[in-house]
Amino acid sequence: MARLAQSVGLIGKFVLHEIFFIGLSSLTSSSSSGHSDSDDPETYRNFMLNDGEPTKSNPASDEVNNDAKASWDYIRVEGLGILPGLVCPHYDRIQSNGVKRMVDFEAMLKRHPYELGLGIDHHAALRIDGDDFKVLSIPGESGSVEEGDTKVPGVWLKYVDDNGQVQSQVCPSSGKLSNLLQVITNPDKHIQVDLKLDLARKENPLVKD
């Protein structure tokens, strides 16, 4: 973790109290950045407001529409910055483009090597109370963390090492948040904006066509 430590410092005090971040979009929007499916045509604002009827983004042809479903990419989106890190919700899932989120997340981290990654399984949650955190999961559900002969829901910590390779470790079940997360001290130098973000924003206008 030497490369990461050169450009980040441990985050200090937290004012959060009894907040749950689950394997959905809530943690993505609350963190510095997130691994998002906002480029999925079926999530576009006009398509959803049109009750799923074809729009210019989702043409009438089923064949073309199916191609659009399968060709979209995950993008890095900016969050509120309450917590630092690049977060991947639904970490253990595959969505309509057929790409495993955990696989694409590692590729995204390589494009944004100064950000600490958190992969949160679909049935896992990260509970934060002040500077204390705890990983929660739904009993009986499957996930990506090996536990004996099964895989259970959990949270992963991921970072890019000095050789450009992604390193992964399972997040402890509980501990101090200040020992877990890191914040980039020079974001203007080390944070890169995803070029596809503007395209996704254009497909989600504030005013319906």
Side-chain angles (χ1 to χ4, degrees):
M1 208 163 181
R3 178 179 179 181
L4 189 66
Q6 292 174 0
S7 59
V8 301
L10 286 177
I11 192 166
K13 297 181 179 179
F14 290 85
V15 295
L16 302 179
H17 178 68
E18 202 67 15
I19 294 180
F20 287 81
F21 294 106
I22 60 178
L24 299 171
S25 59
S26 60
L27 182 51
T28 300
S29 60
S30 301
S31 62
S32 297
S33 59
H35 183 268
S36 173
D37 59 3
S38 297
D39 200 33
D40 180 352
E42 289 196 342
T43 68
Y44 290 164
R45 178 180 183 275
N46 283 348
F47 179 75
M48 299 184 75
L49 290 178
N50 206 37
D51 294 327
E53 291 300 318
T55 66
K56 64 181 181 181
S57 301
N58 289 72
S61 168
D62 288 338
E63 182 178 352
V64 174
N65 198 31
N66 288 334
D67 288 343
K69 289 182 182 178
S71 64
W72 62 270
D73 297 318
Y74 297 108
I75 59 176
R76 177 193 176 277
V77 297
E78 298 176 1
L80 297 176
I82 296 176
L83 293 176
L86 176 53
V87 175
C88 177
H90 313 290
Y91 176 75
D92 57 332
R93 292 303 176 95
I94 299 175
Q95 292 186 228
S96 62
N97 60 0
V99 179
K100 290 183 177 180
R101 290 197 76 141
M102 63 176 66
V103 173
D104 192 86
F105 186 44
E106 292 200 357
M108 181 177 290
L109 283 171
K110 288 182 178 181
R111 299 194 298 272
H112 304 273
Y114 292 99
E115 296 190 77
L116 180 66
L118 279 87
I120 302 183
D121 283 345
H122 184 76
H123 291 293
L126 185 65
R127 188 187 74 183
I128 297 172
D129 186 358
D131 190 30
D132 297 315
F133 76 86
K134 186 175 183 179
V135 175
L136 306 176
S137 62
I138 300 177
E141 297 290 349
S142 63
S144 63
V145 178
E146 292 187 3
E147 187 176 272
D149 297 330
T150 62
K151 288 189 175 182
V152 299
V155 177
W156 290 84
L157 304 177
K158 309 174 83 72
Y159 68 93
V160 180
D161 64 19
D162 293 336
N163 297 317
Q165 300 301 309
V166 176
Q167 302 296 327
S168 306
Q169 64 185 61
V170 177
C171 180
S173 59
S174 62
K176 294 296 182 181
L177 197 62
S178 54
N179 295 329
L180 177 67
L181 300 181
Q182 293 177 304
V183 60
I184 295 178
T185 56
N186 193 350
D188 291 339
K189 180 179 180 181
H190 295 120
I191 293 294
Q192 302 177 27
V193 177
D194 195 320
L195 298 179
K196 295 180 180 180
L197 184 57
D198 283 342
L199 295 177
R201 285 172 173 165
K202 289 179 181 178
E203 294 291 354
N204 290 278
L206 295 177
V207 179
K208 184 178 179 181
D209 290 344

